[in-house]
Amino acid sequence: MSAGRPEGGARPIGAARPDSGVVQVSGEVIATRRVGAYHHLTIVAPGVAELARPGQFAALAVGGPTTGNLLRRSFSIHKVSPSGTYGGTLDLVIAAKGPGTEWLAALRAHDAVDVVAPLGRPFPLPTEPVATVLVGGGYGSAPLFWLADVLRERGCTVEMVLGAASEDRLFGVVEARRAADGVTVTTDDGSAGHKGWVSDVLPEVFERTGAAVAYACGPMGMLQSVTRVAGEHGAVAQVAVEEAMACGVGVCMTCVMPVRDKEGVTKMVRSCVEGPVFRGDRIRWEAFHDGVCGVPADAVGAPRVGGH
């Protein structure tokens, strides 16, 4: 549905959390293109680019002003541009899987979309130059190219590992070769790069680069394997989790997951506010089964036999 170009272009319509550097804006789509199995949107969103950091995300309203779809859809920010012909923009990569994302994928130039961003905690950056490995699964690789640019500006070496089920579900292979010092590609079916999973090639990458930090974004199973391999090689894994975020601002509690704090105490925390980036070795991976997250018995507030 085309809502037409907003009068005067996109404009702020109020702050979602003014104390936290989050804004809500009426954005305008200025470009869309198909990239393999995904859709790449560029949106004019005043104020977002100046606030955003790699690893944060945006939550978009779907369906237009008369829709019954009350819940937003959240996407990692691929990149931002603070200035340009139309003003500050952000780029998002979308996989059309249901009515909400299909509506977003069908947007065209000059359509309006309501945006809340930037949300969540960004990737923490090294305080000194170190070797790093960036691992992306499918379109989960979207935020890693911006991160790679920032890391290289700080003198870090960057190796990228991109994996997906098949070649059309990879994202950014060409861009990775520009952004990184080295790139390894894997696909489950062998249609591009090495046949297999990213965990099959990661040990060699860590051994060759001596990386001290791994950054990853993608399916939870992949993030767990990145955390394991990084730990085996003495590296810290910082992972951006893919938990369902129905609101994106910490209200609905649908994205809670068990994470150990610095004292080793397990708490159920919100991925959208306390995350989406966590140290991989603090996530209770054993609580996830077939895509469903449970509550460990030793978590603070966990139900007890016979009642709470």
Side-chain angles (χ1 to χ4, degrees):
M1 180 189 69
S2 175
R5 186 187 181 97
E7 184 178 351
R11 60 190 183 277
I13 60 175
R17 290 170 58 207
D19 62 326
S20 63
V22 178
V23 297
Q24 181 176 358
V25 299
S26 178
E28 177 188 357
V29 177
I30 59 170
T32 70
R33 61 189 177 95
R34 186 72 180 260
V35 182
Y38 311 117
H39 297 265
H40 183 156
L41 299 183
T42 302
I43 302 170
V44 177
V48 173
E50 294 80 4
L51 297 170
R53 300 292 182 269
Q56 292 183 298
F57 65 96
L60 276 58
V62 298
T66 61
T67 182
N69 293 316
L70 301 180
L71 303 179
R72 292 176 180 265
R73 302 297 186 271
S74 298
F75 306 94
S76 294
I77 298 173
H78 174 40
K79 60 183 177 181
V80 297
S81 175
S83 62
T85 303
Y86 299 96
T89 61
L90 76 154
D91 287 58
L92 305 174
V93 180
I94 294 169
K97 297 180 178 178
T101 48
E102 288 172 356
W103 182 87
L104 289 169
L107 292 174
R108 296 294 177 261
H110 306 313
D111 285 351
V113 60
D114 189 273
V115 180
V116 176
L119 295 165
R121 294 176 60 250
F123 287 114
L125 301 174
T127 56
E128 57 186 36
V130 294
T132 63
V133 176
L134 279 55
V135 187
Y139 74 121
S141 63
L144 299 181
F145 308 101
W146 180 18
L147 174 64
D149 289 341
V150 173
L151 290 171
R152 294 183 76 180
E153 288 173 359
R154 289 175 168 246
C156 298
T157 59
V158 175
E159 187 88 9
M160 294 190 78
V161 180
L162 305 180
S166 55
E167 183 175 16
D168 66 317
R169 296 193 173 276
L170 290 166
F171 177 79
V173 174
V174 173
E175 188 174 356
R177 294 189 174 117
R178 176 200 61 78
D181 298 291
V183 181
T184 304
V185 173
T186 71
T187 50
D188 296 359
D189 63 2
S191 54
H194 299 268
K195 183 176 182 179
W197 298 345
V198 296
S199 55
D200 297 331
V201 301
L202 274 177
E204 186 277 331
V205 172
F206 276 105
E207 291 163 9
R208 172 166 48 81
T209 63
V213 185
Y215 296 95
C217 183
M220 296 296 280
M222 187 203 80
L223 301 182
Q224 181 178 7
S225 66
V226 171
T227 299
R228 174 181 55 79
V229 177
E232 292 170 352
H233 291 81
V236 174
Q238 299 285 353
V239 302
V241 301
E242 285 193 349
E243 278 292 280
M245 299 178 187
C247 74
V249 294
V251 175
C252 69
M253 306 300 286
T254 60
C255 65
V256 293
M257 55 184 288
V259 177
R260 296 185 184 91
D261 63 18
K262 293 180 179 179
E263 286 70 42
V265 178
T266 296
K267 299 177 181 178
M268 300 300 291
V269 303
R270 298 164 296 179
S271 301
C272 63
V273 176
E274 284 79 19
V277 178
F278 296 97
R279 272 188 56 140
D281 58 0
R282 291 184 178 164
I283 297 174
R284 296 288 298 273
W285 298 108
E286 72 277 11
F288 295 85
H289 301 283
D290 298 324
V292 178
C293 179
V295 180
D298 60 342
V300 173
R304 304 298 185 193
V305 176
H308 296 281

